[in-house]
Amino acid sequence: MKEKFSALVVDKRGDTCNVGVRQLTLSQLPKGEVTVKVAYSSVNYKDGLASIPNGKIVQSYPFVPGIDLAGIVVASESKRFKEGDEVLVTGYELGVSHYGGYSEYARVKEEWVVPLPEQLSMKEAMAYGTAGFTAALSIYKLEKAGLSHDQGPVLVTGATGGVGSIAAALLANKGYQVVASTGSNQYTDYLKGLGVSEVIGRNELEKDKIRALDKQRWIAAVDPVGGKSLAYILSSIQYGGSVAVSGLVGGVNVPTTVFPFILRGVNLLGVDSVYCPMEVREELWRKMAAFKPQSLMTDVSKEVSLQELPTALSEILEGKTKGRVIVKVS
């Protein structure tokens, strides 16, 4: 291991954040049983929030963001992992209160670490990343609630984003009829390439007046957007259907009523990928490795270095990112 290595560091000074690559030492890494030489990470919306002064993600500075990573174990005090093991980490406190994946080396708690499935490369793991895991967990919860591919169309919101694009591809790969919602008309061909059956504008979900119960359109929805559009989606889900919600880019307030729940038996399923139990986490990663959609790597819009990360983080906050952005760390 190198004593000095590169990492992207965010340092808040007053009302501004300085974001840039610095040299760190192993002694500056937080405590943990497993030390990983990081090969890849990815760019997520939460990472963008961690890079701005009012993002409300980071509690203390200086800080290394990056809520996921894939790499090789170079030192271990754990009985579960040994030097040379290929592993991945998503969720928990990584990149939030614990130095994250935007670093050539990371030291993490052993209970956060997932063995990399044999059918998955480290680069593919981060093409999925936290966004892909959240998408897979959303589908898992919908199917646990009774969803099957012969019941009707499934809506995916924010379909050009990380969670949305992978959810659309995974659902299509499983034989579902997928309706994708996007605010970017120029991405219709891209979404069709993921296997989407129909593309609708985001404005179709953003109604000025939301009826307590509207026309039943979809049997289920994967919603990483939240906000006002979620209220319309709930009013339009077919009887007994479900919505898996995992995001808040559309806002935190949902102006809905109890009627979808008590008159149509609609289920609102919360998706938390941060503290998902390890047994479910490992099961889903094995399934994600075994049933990779063909679009997994083509959905990666670009690969960036640590030096290029500040621009990529700004772009995801501005909604300029299509699909996934991979970070080649070392």
Side-chain angles (χ1 to χ4, degrees):
M1 288 185 288
K2 296 187 295 184
E3 179 56 32
K4 289 188 176 183
F5 54 89
S6 297
L8 185 85
V9 178
V10 177
D11 200 1
K12 186 177 179 180
R13 303 288 176 86
D15 294 330
T16 62
C17 276
N18 296 318
V19 184
V21 177
R22 296 186 189 177
Q23 292 293 298
L24 298 182
T25 63
L26 292 171
S27 63
Q28 291 176 279
L29 293 177
K31 293 181 179 179
E33 294 76 32
V34 181
T35 304
V36 180
K37 183 179 182 182
V38 182
Y40 292 96
S41 184
S42 70
V43 178
N44 300 276
Y45 191 77
K46 188 181 285 187
D47 299 319
L49 291 175
S51 70
I52 58 176
N54 59 344
K56 299 180 180 179
I57 296 294
V58 179
Q59 302 299 318
S60 62
Y61 298 88
F63 191 73
V64 177
I67 62 171
D68 50 28
L69 64 84
I72 299 174
V73 175
V74 292
S76 176
E77 299 173 8
S78 166
K79 294 180 179 179
R80 292 179 58 220
F81 300 99
K82 64 182 184 303
E83 186 175 334
D85 285 349
E86 294 186 346
V87 297
L88 63 92
V89 183
T90 66
Y92 300 101
E93 300 301 321
L94 188 72
V96 177
S97 61
H98 188 102
Y99 278 17
Y102 296 164
S103 173
E104 289 187 286
Y105 288 93
R107 187 179 294 128
V108 296
K109 297 181 180 180
E110 63 177 318
E111 58 265 31
W112 298 355
V113 183
V114 176
L116 188 73
E118 289 185 4
Q119 306 99 313
L120 204 64
S121 70
M122 290 184 286
K123 189 171 184 178
E124 288 173 330
M126 289 299 98
Y128 274 129
T130 297
F133 178 71
T134 303
L137 184 57
S138 299
I139 297 168
Y140 171 84
K141 289 209 165 194
L142 289 172
E143 291 180 335
K144 284 285 187 181
L147 177 66
S148 61
H149 68 271
D150 58 349
Q151 295 175 318
V154 178
L155 174 69
V156 177
T157 67
T160 58
V163 176
S165 60
I166 295 180
L170 287 171
L171 284 164
N173 198 42
K174 290 166 71 72
Y176 287 94
Q177 178 187 349
V178 182
V179 178
S181 165
T182 178
S184 306
N185 294 332
Q186 69 267 34
Y187 293 141
T188 297
D189 290 342
Y190 162 74
L191 292 169
K192 293 281 188 176
L194 298 180
V196 167
S197 303
E198 180 184 357
V199 180
I200 62 174
R202 184 170 57 202
N203 60 307
E204 284 198 38
L205 309 180
E206 297 177 343
K207 305 291 186 180
D208 291 332
K209 185 176 181 180
I210 299 171
R211 300 170 61 184
L213 293 174
D214 215 309
K215 180 182 177 181
Q216 299 182 53
R217 301 181 64 178
W218 308 286
I219 188 61
V222 174
D223 181 34
V225 176
K228 188 176 180 180
S229 62
L230 175 56
Y232 171 71
I233 293 167
L234 289 168
S235 74
S236 305
I237 291 293
Q238 296 175 24
Y239 187 91
S242 303
V243 179
V245 61
S246 62
L248 45 70
V249 295
V252 297
N253 296 317
V254 183
T256 189
T257 70
V258 298
F259 291 115
F261 311 110
I262 66 173
L263 296 182
R264 288 185 180 163
V266 171
N267 304 297
L268 180 58
L269 309 173
V271 178
D272 170 39
S273 62
V274 176
Y275 293 108
C276 174
M278 182 55 73
E279 59 269 23
V280 175
R281 192 180 293 269
E282 291 186 348
E283 176 189 349
L284 284 180
W285 276 107
R286 288 192 295 268
K287 289 181 177 179
M288 291 158 67
F291 298 101
K292 291 177 289 190
Q294 291 184 344
S295 60
L296 177 61
M297 295 310 297
T298 57
D299 185 44
V300 176
S301 59
K302 60 182 175 180
E303 181 179 303
V304 300
S305 64
L306 287 177
Q307 288 75 15
E308 295 168 319
L309 252 178
T311 299
L313 293 170
S314 296
E315 288 176 346
I316 198 167
L317 290 176
E318 295 166 6
K320 296 180 179 179
T321 300
K322 180 193 75 172
R324 301 284 290 132
V325 177
I326 289 180
V327 184
K328 187 174 182 179
V329 180
S330 59

